[in-house]
Amino acid sequence: MVLLSAAICTKTGKPLVARQFMEISRSRIEGLLAAFPKLRGAEDQHTFIETDSVRYVYQPMEQLYMVLITTKNSNILEDLETLRLFAKVVPEFCQVMTESEVAANAFELIFAFDEVIALGYREQVNLSQIRTYTEMESHDENIYKMVQKNKEREAKEHMKRKAKELTMLKKEKDRFGGSSGYSGASSSMGSSSMGQSAPSYTPAVTASKPAAASSKPRKSRGMKLGGKAKTSDFVDALIAEGESVAEDSSTLAAPVRQSVQASAPDVATDDIHVKVDEKITLEANRDGGLEHMEVKGTMFVSVSNEAKAMIQLHTTRDAGKNASFQTHPNMDKKAFNNDGVIKLKNASRPFPIDSEVGVVKWRYQTTDESAIPLTVNCWPNENSDGSVDVNIDYELQDKSLKLEDVVMMIPLPAGSNPVVASADGDYDIDSRHHMLRWSIPFMEDGNGDEGSLEFSMSGGTADDFFPVTVEFRSEATFVGLEVEEVTTLEGDAFTFSKDIAFTTDSYDIV
């Protein structure tokens, strides 16, 4: 076959998208498409029309027409097969067949048309190949973007910490009327010794470990009494714009993946800041059995005030969850195991300043189905007419958890969109990626701890709706580890901030 043009036009012949594959003028194509409605006729039941020079092969698509213009000597069977492929490609990019939707996705449609036809001849491709070619996501590019965003976030956190340090130094100067600089030698030695013996599980990229901080010892922070340095001008401006810096950081924390996980909001950090990062990996089968479940977590502590570096953390944990805990080599293991106290073995050594130190890590692994925090059951029912009714329900089994931003992603068969009969929470349909996203903003005991979704499809099989992928986040750990109090070694309490994130690494029902 020799295909001259592929176009989507209105019933009146107005072209919305037209891709030419041979040398032909725009006026010629517009004239051929304008003549198409007159040649078709009101009662015409055929799918092609022949004139003296060309052949029209067309298919109605709601209020629009998919039209192929070919030469008269082309093979009509090949023409019809190509038309069917075009009719499948268009819904991949247009959820509804309207003029505005086609215009909004015009370039995507043209790129897809180019994958079907080359120089007027049909390429040997199918729908899944076209979908792959048009998406062509680059893994290296995604990794690069993630690294860049981490660097930007790291730099902004460093700027905020430095601004806080200088603000504190100014307050000390105003209070005592002289130099308030602490000698940084002891904290520097503590920081370097802790960094040399740090275990391998500490993340390579952390928001509070600037590269320059570990290469040079800290200088004394004595105040200069003569004149105002340029650095002070810069920091004053930074402090004055502290609100905008925080907003930029929250913008950088937006999700990167389609597949995406929920990002923790920015937390205002105190002089003593505790961060807990816990992730769950789970795979359950569609019959409710648990194939594999593993929870890993790490607690980090950072101190930005040298006067508060001699501290200990008092923790509690859920004894019912038999997790395996491991403390940092420099921490007092017995104190943690017996009393839940996190402190350094050497009582005379302070915590490193401006360094995020991993103090405790843990691991929980089980195949006990009762330990699943959130159960999801998917029940596809194939009908005799080829349609499929799908019922999905969830239940929060671990009532101690409060989950936020819960998203359940159900794959869909290609060819049609689901008709949702009922749904707890919100949902949206991604027809391009054949995915239904079911969102529950909040779950806790007695509030959204169970729900259901019911929809139907005109075609497909039960296997088309698996695996179901779940994402969520929580501000409480799965193992129940909680920092109750931070005190000096003598027992005086300090205020502290904390950022706890229990998220999914992978959570699939297969």
Side-chain angles (χ1 to χ4, degrees):
M1 63 173 291
V2 178
L3 183 63
L4 302 178
S5 177
I8 301 175
C9 65
T10 64
K11 289 185 176 181
T12 60
K14 173 188 174 183
L16 303 178
V17 173
R19 177 59 168 154
Q20 286 63 255
F21 304 103
M22 303 295 289
E23 282 293 333
I24 187 170
S25 66
R26 174 177 176 176
S27 59
R28 172 67 172 154
I29 285 295
E30 289 178 344
L32 291 172
L33 292 174
F36 166 67
K38 302 173 185 177
L39 296 171
R40 185 178 61 83
E43 303 298 331
D44 193 357
Q45 298 298 318
H46 297 287
T47 57
F48 68 94
I49 302 170
E50 289 190 0
T51 66
D52 294 338
S53 56
V54 296
R55 175 188 293 147
Y56 298 89
V57 186
Y58 61 93
Q59 178 175 324
M61 303 181 71
E62 298 181 12
Q63 301 300 315
L64 307 175
Y65 279 93
M66 181 72 231
V67 182
L68 305 183
I69 302 176
T70 71
T71 57
K72 285 190 65 177
N73 58 358
S74 66
N75 189 319
I76 185 63
L77 296 179
E78 292 182 2
D79 294 347
L80 293 173
E81 183 181 350
T82 304
L83 176 65
R84 283 192 290 269
L85 181 57
F86 272 101
K88 292 178 181 178
V89 167
V90 174
E92 291 287 316
F93 303 92
C94 302
Q95 296 186 12
V96 291
M97 294 305 299
T98 61
E99 293 188 30
S100 59
E101 185 77 6
V102 172
N105 296 281
F107 286 104
E108 288 80 1
L109 290 169
I110 290 173
F111 295 150
F113 289 177
D114 285 345
E115 299 296 337
V116 181
I117 303 295
L119 299 176
Y121 293 93
R122 162 79 182 273
E123 294 283 350
Q124 295 302 317
V125 292
N126 54 38
L127 184 60
S128 62
Q129 290 175 318
I130 295 171
R131 189 183 303 129
T132 301
Y133 296 156
T134 53
E135 290 176 357
M136 290 301 286
E137 293 186 357
S138 170
H139 177 70
D140 292 340
E141 181 183 2
N142 292 337
I143 294 296
Y144 173 78
K145 289 180 178 178
M146 292 173 64
V147 170
Q148 289 299 112
K149 288 191 175 182
N150 280 333
K151 288 181 178 179
E152 292 175 8
R153 189 182 298 113
E154 208 174 62
K156 289 185 180 294
E157 290 293 333
H158 182 54
M159 291 166 63
K160 288 193 288 184
R161 285 196 309 275
K162 290 299 181 184
K164 181 180 289 187
E165 286 179 9
L166 290 175
T167 302
M168 291 174 56
L169 289 172
K170 286 183 178 181
K171 290 180 180 179
E172 292 292 331
K173 176 186 174 183
D174 294 341
R175 184 182 305 171
F176 297 108
S179 174
S180 61
Y182 293 100
S183 175
S186 62
S187 65
S188 174
M189 292 172 61
S191 175
S192 62
S193 63
M194 180 70 77
Q196 292 171 359
S197 60
S200 60
Y201 63 84
T202 303
V205 180
T206 55
S208 59
K209 273 194 178 180
S214 60
S215 60
K216 296 181 180 180
R218 289 168 55 84
K219 296 182 180 179
S220 173
R221 296 190 177 276
M223 295 297 293
K224 183 177 180 181
L225 299 180
K228 189 174 182 181
K230 293 183 179 179
T231 304
S232 179
D233 293 335
F234 169 74
V235 173
D236 288 343
L238 181 64
I239 296 170
E241 298 177 0
E243 191 74 21
S244 62
V245 171
E247 291 175 358
D248 291 343
S249 297
S250 63
T251 304
L252 287 171
V256 176
R257 112 186 193 355
Q258 189 89 35
S259 88
V260 41
Q261 299 189 354
S263 301
D266 286 343
V267 176
T269 59
D270 210 329
D271 291 338
I272 303 170
H273 183 65
V274 178
K275 187 178 85 170
V276 177
D277 184 16
E278 187 180 53
K279 293 185 180 295
I280 182 172
T281 302
L282 182 144
E283 182 177 312
N285 59 49
R286 63 190 70 178
D287 298 323
L290 179 59
E291 302 290 340
H292 173 73
M293 174 176 163
E294 184 179 52
V295 179
K296 291 182 178 181
T298 308
M299 178 183 290
F300 303 92
V301 177
S302 59
V303 180
S304 59
N305 186 348
E306 295 178 6
K308 299 180 180 180
M310 308 289 288
I311 58 172
Q312 58 185 359
L313 288 74
H314 301 266
T315 67
T316 59
R317 52 186 167 180
D318 187 351
K321 293 175 179 174
N322 190 21
S324 174
F325 288 86
Q326 181 179 351
T327 57
H328 188 284
N330 287 347
M331 299 296 150
D332 190 334
K333 184 176 182 179
K334 290 183 179 180
F336 177 74
N337 291 335
N338 296 334
D339 304 319
V341 176
I342 300 174
K343 62 180 181 178
L344 290 165
K345 285 181 182 178
N346 187 349
S348 62
R349 174 187 291 180
F351 270 80
I353 304 301
D354 292 333
S355 294
E356 193 174 73
V357 180
V359 293
V360 179
K361 68 177 181 179
W362 59 92
R363 181 172 178 262
Y364 174 85
Q365 192 171 15
T366 185
T367 55
D368 183 6
E369 298 170 8
S370 63
I372 300 176
L374 178 65
T375 60
V376 179
N377 297 314
C378 182
W379 295 83
N381 182 38
E382 300 179 26
N383 301 318
S384 57
D385 60 356
S387 63
V388 182
D389 296 328
V390 183
N391 292 272
I392 304 176
D393 63 81
Y394 71 85
E395 181 183 0
L396 181 64
Q397 283 200 147
D398 192 336
K399 304 299 183 182
S400 65
L401 291 175
K402 296 180 180 180
L403 305 184
E404 302 176 13
D405 303 325
V406 183
V407 179
M408 288 161 276
M409 291 170 282
I410 303 100
L412 303 173
S416 64
N417 285 332
V419 178
V420 179
S422 63
D424 294 319
D426 301 320
Y427 69 91
D428 65 89
I429 300 166
D430 186 347
S431 59
R432 180 173 181 182
H433 296 93
H434 305 291
M435 190 75 65
L436 188 150
R437 292 185 177 89
W438 183 20
S439 305
I440 308 294
F442 189 78
M443 287 185 195
E444 65 175 340
D445 187 15
N447 180 15
D449 57 350
E450 58 182 32
S452 62
L453 169 71
E454 182 179 350
F455 65 91
S456 59
M457 299 284 295
S458 59
T461 64
D463 291 336
D464 292 333
F465 302 94
F466 292 95
V468 177
T469 302
V470 182
E471 294 177 357
F472 59 77
R473 68 177 306 274
S474 174
E475 294 184 357
T477 63
F478 176 81
V479 299
L481 183 64
E482 179 74 18
V483 178
E484 297 289 342
E485 188 180 24
V486 177
T487 67
T488 63
L489 300 180
E490 292 76 24
D492 298 329
F494 279 134
T495 60
F496 67 98
S497 58
K498 56 185 176 180
D499 179 12
I500 300 174
F502 169 44
T503 58
T504 57
D505 191 18
S506 65
Y507 200 111
D508 300 321
I509 291 84
V510 298

